[in-house]
Amino acid sequence: MKPFLLLATRAEDLAADGEHEAFRRYGGLEPEQLHRVRLERDPLPPVDLDDYSGVLVGGGPFNSSDPAELKGPAQRRVEAELSGLLDEIVARDFPFLGACYGVGTLGAHQGAVIDATYAEPVGPVTIELTPDAADDPLLAGLPASFAAYVGHKEAVRKLPDHAVLLASSAGCPVQMFRIKQNLYATQFHPELDGQGIDQRIAVYRDYGYFPPEEAEAVRERCLAVEVTEPLRIMRAFVERYARV
């Protein structure tokens, strides 16, 4: 099987490695079947999409809607590199799944309005599938509503007309969308289980997602909810697009 490519931007090794392992585990991938590039650290090497089954983008610290003067050199480089790669990905309708920061990458590339209007605190939310999700192969068999983990400082306020809205939540109208047939982005984390959110709360307690003194309360709120259905999306993506 041709591997999948994970484009990551987390600078903290513990969170970066945990994300990598989560994508691998819930995608049902062997270690050699998921190649990772840590874009916050290394420039994007030449990518031949024909060498891969699909492209994944994880979450991270960058907000695409930040004013240009607040973006550091690494963020500006990453945004330019991802935008260039997305030119080809979108033109070819090449399998793509972006989680959290995937909304800021694919969404921004496609003309979505992204800002802080629908930011959500770290925690579980109820995801509601839209009628268009009924016919989507990644969401087949999922219940109409399910729990997922979120935590983001920006979100899509308005999708472009050619995007298909697949999921929403009470606090964030755009939780998942599709462009063309094979390009997906989720605001929630399809790779994140209780163990994963527990780790990220510890890593990011001083990053402004919640007051540090509330970390234990955030942890308890997250672990009080069983999150399983989003993980099926990861597996569905791999099974649909894996190729030899």
Side-chain angles (χ1 to χ4, degrees):
M1 189 194 84
K2 291 187 176 181
F4 286 80
L5 175 63
L6 172 61
L7 302 176
T9 59
R10 297 185 186 277
E12 305 77 18
D13 289 342
L14 185 61
D17 292 343
E19 178 183 71
H20 183 203
E21 174 59 19
F23 274 112
R24 188 197 67 76
R25 181 189 319 121
Y26 289 115
L29 297 166
E30 296 299 324
E32 68 274 9
Q33 294 173 332
L34 183 60
H35 293 175
R36 174 175 60 162
V37 177
R38 291 185 60 174
L39 293 176
E40 88 293 343
R41 185 180 64 189
D42 304 313
L44 181 67
V47 174
D48 185 345
L49 293 178
D50 291 331
D51 292 337
Y52 294 99
S53 289
V55 175
L56 303 165
V57 169
F62 301 144
N63 293 310
S64 65
S65 62
D66 284 346
E69 62 271 17
L70 297 182
K71 295 179 180 180
Q75 180 173 353
R76 291 195 296 270
R77 173 183 57 78
V78 168
E79 288 182 352
E81 291 172 342
L82 285 175
S83 180
L85 183 59
L86 279 167
D87 288 344
E88 182 180 2
I89 287 173
V90 173
R92 293 177 54 172
D93 197 13
F94 188 81
F96 176 92
L97 175 60
C100 197
Y101 186 48
V103 164
T105 53
L106 181 63
H109 186 273
Q110 290 297 292
V113 178
I114 300 171
D115 58 26
T117 302
Y118 297 112
E120 292 178 295
V122 174
V125 300
T126 299
I127 303 297
E128 302 283 349
L129 297 182
T130 69
D132 283 319
D135 298 323
D136 190 275
L138 292 198
L139 301 171
L142 265 65
S145 64
F146 54 85
Y149 291 124
V150 301
H152 51 99
K153 298 176 182 178
E154 66 176 5
V156 173
R157 177 161 56 87
K158 184 179 186 303
L159 279 174
D161 291 340
H162 62 282
V164 178
L165 178 65
L166 297 173
S168 300
S169 70
C172 183
V174 180
Q175 284 285 355
M176 184 175 183
F177 66 89
R178 188 186 73 237
I179 300 290
K180 295 187 173 180
Q181 295 302 310
N182 303 311
L183 312 172
Y184 293 88
T186 66
Q187 187 63 77
F188 61 90
H189 287 275
E191 86 289 1
L192 205 52
D193 60 7
Q195 179 181 351
I197 193 70
D198 192 15
Q199 181 187 75
R200 289 189 194 171
I201 290 168
V203 171
Y204 293 111
R205 63 176 294 148
D206 297 311
Y207 282 65
Y209 290 98
F210 50 82
E213 65 273 13
E214 296 180 11
E216 184 57 30
V218 172
R219 177 179 180 273
E220 291 178 359
R221 185 169 68 250
C222 287
L223 298 184
V225 177
E226 186 176 11
V227 171
T228 57
E229 300 305 307
L231 310 173
R232 295 170 58 186
I233 297 172
M234 269 302 310
R235 190 60 176 262
F237 181 81
V238 168
E239 290 180 349
R240 177 168 176 78
Y241 295 115
R243 61 195 182 100
V244 296

